[in-house]
Amino acid sequence: MLDREQVLAYRIAAQGLHRTESDAAKLAVFDLGVQSTQRDTALVALAARCTDIDESFVDDPRFVLAWTHRGAPHFHRTGDLAAVTRALIPLDETDAMARMQWQRKQVEAAGMSATDGLFTAARAIRDVVGEPMTKGAVSTAVTKMIPAGLSYWCRGCHATHILEQVMRLAAIHGGVRLEAGVNPATLAPIEGRGRMRTKPDPAAATAVVSAYLRLHGPARPAEAAGFVGTTTNLAKAMWPDELAEISVDGRKLSLPSADLALLENPPEPDVVRLLPPWDPFLQSRDRAVLVPDKARQKEVWKIIGNPGALLADGEIAGVWRTKGSGRKRLDFTITVFDALPAPARRAAEAEAERVAKVRGFADVRVSWA
């Protein structure tokens, strides 16, 4: 029987956190995509894994930014985007409604199915976005083209907008991506976009679950469902073949059979990394495995404004935040959960210097709390 420490050692290795790869496109985390919810979070996640990375990453044509899993912005390999899009076609109406997440009730009240609402919005977005346009401009134009039930009155803007989650889920099906490194959020047509697909692709959906198990396993259907944004029963319908069944601390979990050898004998997780908010390592849906203490979980995953996480010797050992001073200096505050050995502190300070450098800051200052 395996334990959580061995599982974490496996994930650290599977996600490339030993930092042996120089080519970002070869990083395994791109099999799912790298979330980019906040400025430079994807860049910092790659700096934790790639020996050669800098700000030019956002202009690299090998990568594309789009709203994909759960409607969150992710960088993907450009060549993978068509398969990702197929995987995001709901398998059925239950799946479509589950993916609406916090806006399910509004979609239910719209008088049409979630599937119809999704693709109605996708067609409108496709018609509107023929060149780069700000998100606000797209929303204004699309809202005029869709049924009223798919929009809402925004008090802050004093305007009517398409439902946020509907827009995020529909954009990729409308052949639209996000402009990387641009503020405010700007949408643009995907180069060479073909016709819109609406027929479910179970094989593509299963491929996403397989990638989740490779990077975040061993795991259960409920955890894969949390990443996809669907129900546990539908995650079971996406469940891949050729899995090994494993017992970890008494729980029955699954892992692709091809990865069993790495799980059984992972390299020592003797690395120190500063992981940004929404780093792939923090995207595992079994948070109690990553951070067993519930009070500490609340420090790592907040309702608003997640900090970064300090990874040290196989454990989430604390959290960190930064404050920039122009482009001259980046100030770090690292808060540890327990006393950290001096070598680990020095390694964390070296990582802070690395993060500052890839973000374009000339100097760095680290404070410990």
Side-chain angles (χ1 to χ4, degrees), residues 75-318:
F75 278 101
H76 295 274
R77 302 181 189 99
T78 301
D80 293 345
L81 195 60
V84 172
T85 303
R86 294 195 301 272
L88 294 172
I89 300 172
L91 296 184
D92 59 21
E93 176 61 15
T94 300
D95 190 16
M97 185 59 74
R99 292 173 189 251
M100 295 299 171
Q101 297 185 25
W102 79 94
Q103 291 190 317
R104 293 178 199 173
K105 290 184 178 180
Q106 292 97 316
V107 174
E108 286 176 349
M112 62 195 307
S113 72
T115 303
D116 287 344
L118 174 68
F119 290 113
T120 296
R123 292 184 184 95
I125 291 171
R126 185 185 187 92
D127 288 344
V128 165
V129 183
E131 60 183 8
M133 298 174 61
T134 66
K135 178 186 174 185
V138 174
S139 176
T140 298
V142 168
T143 299
K144 296 175 182 177
M145 301 170 64
I146 60 174
L150 294 179
S151 60
Y152 72 105
W153 173 255
C154 176
R155 293 181 181 178
C157 298
H158 297 285
T160 300
H161 297 302
I162 180 175
L163 292 170
E164 178 72 14
Q165 184 69 349
V166 172
M167 183 175 184
R168 285 170 172 257
L169 294 177
I172 190 71
H173 299 299
V176 170
R177 60 175 175 83
L178 293 164
E179 292 269 67
V182 175
N183 188 37
T186 299
L187 285 71
I190 295 169
E191 185 176 352
R193 62 184 180 181
R195 63 182 179 84
M196 187 173 75
R197 296 174 177 266
T198 60
K199 184 178 180 180
D201 189 333
T206 294
V208 171
V209 173
S210 294
Y212 180 85
L213 292 174
R214 287 196 307 274
L215 294 168
H216 300 278
R220 300 173 297 179
E223 291 141 13
F227 180 86
V228 172
T230 191
T231 69
T232 299
N233 283 338
L234 282 161
K236 291 178 180 177
M238 303 171 187
W239 213 236
D241 297 325
E242 299 182 2
L243 297 179
E245 300 302 315
I246 299 151
S247 178
V248 179
D249 292 333
R251 297 185 306 145
K252 299 298 182 181
L253 308 174
S254 299
L255 186 80
S257 299
D259 298 307
L260 187 57
L262 179 59
L263 175 65
E264 291 175 339
N265 188 29
E268 286 295 321
D270 52 352
V271 299
V272 174
R273 299 287 183 263
L274 294 181
L275 307 179
W278 301 284
D279 183 88
F281 189 78
L282 304 175
Q283 293 285 359
S284 296
R285 265 34 192 185
D286 51 359
R287 291 179 176 178
V289 173
L290 294 178
V291 182
D293 184 89
K294 290 186 178 180
R296 292 178 177 179
Q297 288 178 24
K298 293 178 180 179
E299 293 299 312
V300 177
W301 296 283
K302 293 184 173 293
I303 296 175
I304 299 175
N306 283 348
L310 169 64
L311 177 67
D313 297 328
E315 297 284 351
I316 300 299

